[in-house]
Amino acid sequence: MADMRAAVLHKYGAPPECGEFEEPQARDGHVVVDVEAAGVNHLDLLKASGTHFSGPPALPSVIGSDGVGRLPDGRRVFFDAVLSPYGAIAERTLVPKDAVCDVADGVDSAVAAALGNTGLAAWLALEWRAKLARGETVLVLGATGAVGSAAVQIARELGAGRVIAAALPDERLAKLGADAIVEFDDDDELTAGLKQAAPDGVDVIIDPLWGPPAVAAMGAGRRGARHVQIGHMASTTLTLPAPLVRSIAIDIMGFVIFYVPLEVRRATYLRLTELAARGGLSVDLEVLPIAQIDAAWQRQERGEGTKLVIAP
């Protein structure tokens, strides 16, 4: 049976390698997709470590959780489910027939792939999980990251009255189009800066950081604020004072994309790519070949803000 080029994981905790992997074959309920572009995500790193709560992947297996490609009939689709041991970062992969999403016309496949995990996370965390209401104030932590950058732009599209972007000092902050930016090197600076940027408090906090920055952000919350936890780039743990939780009656919400019903993800992804197609959402991305998966993996571990996309 013929082989294809793919990013293959051979050992937990080690970078995947560019190599040959057995071609997928269509089977009941699944279809082969010719991959045009696949994002490199923090989720992929967590799964490849063998410590993600979804369980360790098979060894060897192809890495990559989502991408954009063509079905045998030529239809262009986004997918975020694959059948192990196949993954998105390969020339071809195997996905459930009923779990693909249409991609809007007029959007480049690399952009569409970049908006998969990160764009959907930002949009659904705001609209589906936090139930953002028009006119509310949104705070995005880690705003120079791929998810954070998307969340700043999407919050405006969803009707936020005020959007605050917070991150470590970075010239990219000023380019996000937020109503206010807060640069911080320590948590005291963050809370003080946020209270100045939003004297009436914030309603929704999008948090890919966790740790001390999350606690500092909660200190600027309005009564009934919703804190949506989507990642832990700063720390996996935090010390949370009980009086802080009670004083503003804050809701702390966990969020992962695969808990969202498929029909919601499908409709949201189409809206997301339509927004990008008409120029309402920009993505800072870089396209790399599979042969550079090791370098892409290391850059993703460092948490660079540029979204990395592999084009097989």
Side-chain angles (χ1 to χ4, degrees), residues 253-311:
M253 303 172 163
F255 173 81
V256 287
I257 287 178
F258 47 78
Y259 288 156
V260 182
L262 175 60
E263 61 271 18
V264 176
R265 299 202 312 272
R266 183 176 283 138
T268 301
Y269 183 75
L270 188 57
R271 291 164 65 195
L272 183 67
T273 50
E274 286 173 343
L275 179 63
R278 63 176 186 264
L281 178 60
S282 63
V283 185
D284 179 15
L285 66 84
E286 183 176 346
V287 180
L288 301 170
I290 291 181
Q292 294 183 29
I293 185 60
D294 182 71
W297 204 255
Q298 294 178 38
R299 289 175 62 182
Q300 188 69 23
E301 288 180 326
R302 292 196 297 269
E304 294 184 12
T306 300
K307 180 66 182 179
L308 302 176
V309 174
I310 305 296

Side-chain angles (χ1 to χ4, degrees), residues 43 64 145 152 157 160 175 194 207 216 257 270 295 312:
L43 174 62
V152 170
E157 172 69 13
K175 302 175 182 178
L194 292 175
D207 175 21
I257 287 178
L270 188 57

Side-chain angles (χ1 to χ4, degrees), residues 12-86:
Y12 299 134
E17 300 174 3
C18 176
E20 301 293 311
F21 201 81
E22 184 179 288
E23 287 268 6
Q25 301 297 314
R27 62 189 73 179
D28 289 346
H30 291 80
V31 64
V32 174
V33 173
D34 284 315
V35 181
E36 293 186 351
V40 182
N41 305 304
H42 286 297
L43 174 62
D44 301 323
L45 270 63
L46 288 172
K47 287 183 174 181
S49 72
T51 62
H52 190 257
F53 59 76
S54 63
L59 291 178
S61 64
V62 180
I63 57 96
S65 53
D66 64 8
V68 169
R70 299 278 176 177
L71 298 180
D73 62 4
R75 177 182 164 205
R76 187 171 63 148
V77 297
F78 167 74
F79 60 90
D80 59 2
V82 292
L83 183 65
S84 179
Y86 298 103

Side-chain angles (χ1 to χ4, degrees), residues 44-273:
D44 301 323
L45 270 63
L46 288 172
K47 287 183 174 181
S49 72
T51 62
H52 190 257
F53 59 76
S54 63
L59 291 178
S61 64
V62 180
I63 57 96
S65 53
D66 64 8
V68 169
R70 299 278 176 177
L71 298 180
D73 62 4
R75 177 182 164 205
R76 187 171 63 148
V77 297
F78 167 74
F79 60 90
D80 59 2
V82 292
L83 183 65
S84 179
Y86 298 103
I89 304 181
E91 292 178 310
R92 281 161 291 283
T93 191
L94 194 61
V95 307
K97 289 181 180 178
D98 59 357
V100 296
C101 303
D102 286 322
V103 182
D105 293 334
V107 63
D108 181 79
S109 289
V111 173
L115 289 173
N117 183 279
T118 53
L120 273 175
W123 194 303
L124 292 168
L126 285 161
E127 184 177 60
W128 183 82
R129 194 69 174 100
K131 294 179 170 56
L132 175 67
R134 186 166 294 275
E136 288 190 313
T137 296
V138 173
L139 162 63
V140 179
L141 294 175
T144 53
V147 175
S149 173
V152 170
Q153 299 173 76
I154 292 167
R156 177 71 68 221
E157 172 69 13
L158 294 177
R162 186 168 178 79
V163 182
I164 302 167
L168 296 172
D170 192 314
E171 62 181 15
R172 291 174 296 172
L173 267 176
K175 302 175 182 178
L176 294 176
D179 296 296
I181 61 173
V182 178
E183 295 183 333
F184 65 95
D185 284 315
D186 63 55
D187 307 319
D188 290 336
E189 284 181 4
L190 176 56
T191 301
L194 292 175
K195 287 183 175 179
Q196 183 176 0
D200 295 327
V202 299
D203 299 291
V204 174
I205 302 166
I206 300 300
D207 175 21
L209 302 180
W210 206 230
V215 179
M218 291 181 206
R222 196 199 306 265
R223 183 175 300 172
R226 289 91 76 201
H227 187 110
V228 187
Q229 210 293 304
I230 62 175
H232 51 264
M233 292 296 293
S235 175
T236 58
T237 61
L238 54 68
T239 299
L240 183 58
L244 173 59
V245 177
R246 296 198 309 274
S247 64
I248 59 172
I250 192 168
D251 287 332
I252 301 173
M253 303 172 163
F255 173 81
V256 287
I257 287 178
F258 47 78
Y259 288 156
V260 182
L262 175 60
E263 61 271 18
V264 176
R265 299 202 312 272
R266 183 176 283 138
T268 301
Y269 183 75
L270 188 57
R271 291 164 65 195
L272 183 67
T273 50

